[in-house]
Amino acid sequence: MLRRYRFFQVALVVLIPIAGCGQQSNQFSSKLNSLGEQAEYEESSPATAVGRAPNQNATSDLADGESNESAKPNRRIVYNTKLSLVVKEYSVFESTLPGLVERHGGFISKSETSRRFNDQQSGVWVARIPVASYADFLQGVSGLGFAESRTEDAQDITAEFVDVEARIRNNKKLEERIITMLEERTGKLSDVLDIERELSRVREEIERMEGRLRVLADRSAMATITIRCREEKEYVPPKSPTLGSRAQRSWAGSISTLRATGENLVVAGIAIVPWLIVLAVPLIIVVVVARRVLRKRTP
């Protein structure tokens, strides 16, 4: 009996590792798939994106009397402003604007100047200004001339920024787990190659999202202000229209339309003359031939 008992012990010791080796490859595939599914769940989970467990109470996140407002992420706002400016001397504006931009910690990303009739100049300038100096810069640049119009657009990208940050964190955790698996793996070459391909995919996804995060951070940190400036030495700001001014503008518009119509008719007549000449030659030939035929038939 003692010999039989020892025989069964030896058999179990030998058979258990053999069975484990046969299941190792299948366990690797399922483990790799479970890592991918876990990462996808973490990325898509709203609780993970804001750093909160699904069943955790909102009040438990606050400590020492902190309010809900302090727990919220900082707002990320993208400011885009278009300003139309009229100045008496474009050269003065052109020399003053770069210094004003530099004093507010910004830079000029684009500038374009053109000349119009009677040596009047105009241009388009695009300035990038830190959000903290955005209001002061607008006030300063508006003082360089008369602001005909101003359009401001603010876009809140906080949700997208937080989501991208959460995805980067989750993918970095997945990258660490895959690296650990790669270091511990000593099986088939095909399994090792599968791990390396998955690691390459995860790293590429991290780089893409980090690039997107940098773009969002730059857009929200610097406001974009497009300034369209034109020179008009005797500029008079438009006044509220009256009955007389409206009647005068309507009369002037009718006279202008009538004059333009007459000019168009004259131009059209001049354009038709060459065609009349070209068509008149074969018409004259047809008429002459027809008369000769009629004369021959007449007794």
Side-chain angles (χ1 to χ4, degrees), residues 160-200:
E160 183 181 0
F161 193 90
V162 172
D163 180 68
V164 174
E165 280 186 326
R167 289 176 180 271
I168 291 174
R169 287 195 301 269
N170 294 332
N171 276 276
K172 284 186 176 181
K173 292 178 182 178
L174 177 60
E175 180 187 19
E176 293 175 0
R177 291 196 289 266
I178 294 176
I179 291 174
T180 302
M181 184 186 298
L182 184 61
E183 292 174 349
E184 296 175 353
R185 185 65 184 172
T186 58
K188 297 180 181 178
L189 179 60
S190 59
D191 293 343
V192 176
L193 293 176
D194 288 339
I195 298 177
E196 290 181 348
R197 279 194 293 267
E198 182 67 14
L199 181 61
S200 176

Side-chain angles (χ1 to χ4, degrees), residues 3-19:
R3 291 181 178 178
R4 291 183 180 178
Y5 177 72
R6 290 180 178 175
F7 172 76
F8 284 122
Q9 281 185 333
V10 173
L12 288 174
V13 171
V14 173
L15 291 175
I16 287 174
I18 294 175

